[in-house]
Amino acid sequence: MAAKNKISNQNAVHEGFLTRCVNYLKQVITLAKRVTWPNRRATVTTTIAVMVMVTITCIFFLAVDQLIGLGLHTLFQIGG
């Protein structure tokens, strides 16, 4: 009898886990439907802004790297 109770308790635990998983997924779907997604124009505008800032940042760090390299080369007369 104790073995039967143990098995039914394990089944209840597993059913509880599966029920929680299903409820969680239902909540995720409900919340995903409430999300306000950006339109195409906003997405393109934001993407362009990010690409411009990345380009500016790359140019800035290239210039800083070149200046530091030039300074070290001048200071120590080493390097290529």
Side-chain angles (χ1 to χ4, degrees):
M1 187 71 169
K4 186 177 182 180
N5 286 340
K6 186 175 182 181
I7 291 173
S8 67
N9 285 342
Q10 288 175 346
N11 288 339
V13 169
H14 290 294
E15 288 174 3
F17 175 75
L18 292 176
T19 303
R20 290 193 311 263
C21 289
V22 169
N23 288 337
Y24 174 75
L25 291 175
K26 285 180 182 178
Q27 291 173 359
V28 168
I29 291 170
T30 301
L31 290 175
K33 289 179 182 178
R34 292 175 42 194
V35 171
T36 303
W37 299 100
N39 58 19
R40 182 174 175 84
R41 184 175 183 188
T43 303
V44 170
T45 303
T46 305
T47 302
I48 291 171
V50 167
M51 296 303 285
V52 167
M53 292 306 297
V54 166
T55 303
I56 291 170
T57 304
C58 287
I59 292 169
F60 171 76
F61 282 113
L62 174 67
V64 169
D65 183 54
Q66 293 297 317
L67 287 173
I68 290 172
L70 179 64
L72 289 175
H73 177 70
T74 303
L75 184 64
F76 297 112
Q77 296 297 318
I78 59 172

